[in-house]
Amino acid sequence: MSPPTINPFAPTINLPEERQGIFTELAECEGKTFLYRRLNVMGPFSGTLLYDGRWFRQKIEFAGHLVWFRISWLIIHRKAEFRLPPAVDPEQRSCRMEIDFSRFLWIRRFRIWMGETLVYDEIN
């Protein structure tokens, strides 16, 4: 009898303790729930970043400005690219968000880049 095959693409259920946590010096999490994160970003641009993916819509706000929005009836978008408003960043650099999900849409990894700087990296 051959050993059972393991699917390398299956989401992990539990990560070792040493690989969990928030790895950043530029932001702190002020609140998190199912498909929701509120971050206080201290650099390279300061302000509050809000990701809300509840109620079949996804949005990202930064410093009170809506910077990205999608209706998500069928697909929860795992990646988003957006530009900061001129009031926050006169150069309007490209920013991005990436989410990896575990089962039942629980956020396993949540990352935010502003420009080329990784501002927030959370692994659950």
Side-chain angles (χ1 to χ4, degrees):
M1 176 181 230
S2 64
T5 58
I6 297 173
N7 181 357
F9 302 106
T12 58
I13 295 172
N14 294 318
L15 289 172
E17 289 282 331
E18 65 270 7
R19 294 200 52 214
Q20 295 182 16
I22 297 172
F23 304 97
T24 181
E25 295 177 358
L26 299 174
E28 61 184 19
C29 185
E30 293 181 340
K32 66 179 186 173
T33 60
F34 179 73
L35 293 177
Y36 177 89
R37 295 293 185 272
R38 183 181 181 94
L39 310 175
N40 181 21
V41 180
M42 295 160 282
F45 310 101
S46 44
T48 300
L49 184 135
L50 173 73
Y51 167 75
D52 189 352
R54 301 171 296 181
W55 304 109
F56 302 108
R57 62 180 170 78
Q58 290 178 275
K59 71 177 182 176
I60 299 174
E61 292 180 3
F62 187 75
H65 299 275
L66 182 66
V67 293
W68 186 83
F69 179 82
R70 297 289 185 274
I71 300 294
S72 53
W73 288 106
L74 300 174
I75 295 173
I76 298 290
H77 297 273
R78 298 169 186 263
K79 296 181 181 183
E81 291 195 26
F82 55 94
R83 297 202 180 271
L84 296 175
V88 176
D89 178 21
E91 295 179 31
Q92 289 191 293
R93 287 169 257 214
S94 179
C95 303
R96 72 182 191 266
M97 172 205 67
E98 289 183 3
I99 302 175
D100 294 329
F101 293 103
S102 63
R103 294 185 180 147
F104 307 113
L105 289 178
W106 287 103
I107 295 175
R108 192 184 97 205
R109 190 165 192 183
F110 184 80
R111 291 181 284 188
I112 298 286
W113 282 268
M114 292 189 164
E116 296 300 317
T117 306
L118 179 62
V119 173
Y120 186 79
D121 188 3
E122 172 187 332
I123 302 173
N124 297 309

